[in-house]
Amino acid sequence: MGSMRTAIRYAAILLALQIVGARVGIAGEVVQVKIADLAFSPAEITIKEGDTIEWVNGDFIDHTATANNGAWDVLIAAGQSARQQFDHAGTSKYFCRVHPDMTGTVHVIAGK
Ligand SMILES: [Cu+2]
């Protein structure tokens, strides 16, 4: 008898979580960019608002992903991975502070 009510309650909670999630931007996907031989791959990537990029450093040296405009700066230690979330549409060019020839571009397109 209470199962319908329970189902409705769960649906309401789920909906509330989705609304909150969308608002704080936790609902996005994680998209990987690999680092190998001093290069980002893919060097240019398109994601949606709220998505997160996870750089996976396969090199034996530390790298950074640093926005040209200084808006974000991620250290990706040797053999490790690190993440940056993108909440606003736009294009960010970035580079590695250790190896300025390493460059990449993130295009963030408006979500839903
Ligand atoms: Cu580097």
Side-chain angles (χ1 to χ4, degrees), residues 38 62-64 96 98-99 102:
L38 303 177
D62 295 350
H63 296 293
T64 75
C96 172
V98 189
H99 313 99
M102 291 178 64

Side-chain angles (χ1 to χ4, degrees), residues 16-60:
L17 286 174
Q18 285 172 349
I19 291 169
V20 170
R23 191 161 299 162
V24 300
I26 59 175
E29 291 178 53
V30 176
V31 181
Q32 286 193 339
V33 172
K34 294 185 168 41
I35 302 172
D37 300 327
L38 303 177
F40 298 109
S41 176
E44 188 160 10
I45 196 164
T46 299
I47 60 174
K48 294 195 298 294
E49 280 179 328
D51 286 353
T52 294
I53 291 195
E54 179 178 63
W55 286 273
V56 181
N57 185 357
D59 283 341
F60 294 102

